[in-house]
Amino acid sequence: MASSFSSSMRGGRGRKLKSEINVVPYIDVMLVLLIIFMVMPSANDPSVVDLPRAEKSTKPPSDYVQIVLKPNGALSIGVKGKDEDAPETAPNRDALVRKLRTIHDQHPDYPVLIAGDKDSKYDDVIQLISEAKKLGITRVGLSTK
């Protein structure tokens, strides 16, 4: 025991304790987390939005105007109910809005239901809702399966 005490005194310097934090392990952990967070967003495709399906929906009104929007851009409009007409296809949105205006003039109290396919563009559905609101139609809804 005396020899260990004397050896530390021999050089004049003893071992000093370091009071510094070793940051190398923390840097390693942070780099791994950075790589994980950089790789994960590329695994998810942000352009695909899975819309929820309606489990329970209310029954549509007995008489209403139905607009059907297909994923290829085809539009059709018709009256459903007791005054049921065969749905007419519209070549573009302007023709559909003109037909909607004439139907709304004939049946001002009929609500409008928009039936979009799950592969339809969300923007197209929103534009149709906006056009119906501009015509003064207050009851505009979305049709579910």
Side-chain angles (χ1 to χ4, degrees), residues 18-82:
K18 285 183 161 182
S19 61
E20 298 173 1
I21 297 174
N22 188 4
V23 294
V24 173
Y26 299 119
I27 293 172
D28 291 341
V29 169
M30 293 305 290
L31 286 174
V32 168
L33 288 174
L34 179 67
I35 290 171
I36 288 172
F37 286 124
M38 286 174 62
V39 170
M40 283 307 292
S42 65
N44 299 332
D45 188 9
S47 65
V48 176
V49 177
D50 293 327
L51 297 176
R53 298 177 75 77
E55 295 297 325
K56 283 181 114 179
S57 62
T58 59
K59 289 185 176 182
S62 58
D63 299 322
Y64 60 95
V65 178
Q66 183 178 28
I67 299 173
V68 178
L69 176 67
K70 297 290 182 182
N72 61 0
L75 300 166
S76 65
I77 186 169
V79 176
K80 297 286 185 174
K82 60 185 170 193

